[in-house]
């Protein structure tokens, strides 16, 4: 079964440069630690303070609260603003 975790962060400050830098650093760490993880990062169009990380993996059992990687990313982003972390499964 395909599963995705969505970690959305809305920065509480107007200067998003530190958040962008931290996101790039986190993504570099993720790719080094677990190359098999499907990881994508997005910035919301026209709203400079909103970012989203999507983790994708097929067949892995993920508890409702998320994978260890997803939980670590969500915790690392909390100092930058509001974080929403959710787990999604593909409909059949």
């Amino acid at each position: 079964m395909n599963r995705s975790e969505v970690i959305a962060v809305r920065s509480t400050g107007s200067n998003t440069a530190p958040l962008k830098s931290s996101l790039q650093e986190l993504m570099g760490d993720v790719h080094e630690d677990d190359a098999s993880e499907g990881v994508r990062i997005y910035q919301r169009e026209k709203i400079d303070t909103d970012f989203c990380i999507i983790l994708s993996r097929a067949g892995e059992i993920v508890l409702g609260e998320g994978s260890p990687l997803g939980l670590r990313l969500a915790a690392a982003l909390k100092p930058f603003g509001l974080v929403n972390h959710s787990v999604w499964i593909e409909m059949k």
Side-chain angles (χ1 to χ4, degrees):
M1 180 177 298
N2 292 328
R3 297 175 185 270
S4 294
E5 286 182 71
V6 178
I7 303 159
V9 60
R10 174 167 283 175
S11 175
T12 55
S14 59
N15 181 4
T16 60
L19 175 55
K20 286 180 183 180
S21 176
S22 183
L23 285 168
Q24 291 172 339
E25 184 178 322
L26 286 169
M27 291 304 99
D29 293 345
V30 166
H31 288 299
E32 288 177 11
D33 290 346
D34 191 357
S36 65
E37 187 82 36
V39 180
R40 301 261 189 231
I41 185 168
Y42 300 89
Q43 183 173 7
R44 189 163 172 185
E45 186 174 17
K46 298 183 181 180
I47 301 179
D48 294 341
T49 58
D50 287 9
F51 298 86
C52 179
I53 299 170
I54 299 179
L55 308 175
S56 301
R57 204 175 250 189
E60 182 183 339
I61 296 173
V62 177
L63 300 176
E65 65 270 3
S67 69
L69 175 59
L71 293 169
R72 282 195 322 262
L73 289 171
L77 294 171
K78 283 187 180 184
F80 294 102
L82 302 172
V83 176
N84 182 23
H85 180 197
S86 56
V87 178
W88 298 75
I89 58 172
E90 183 179 10
M91 287 181 57
K92 299 288 180 183

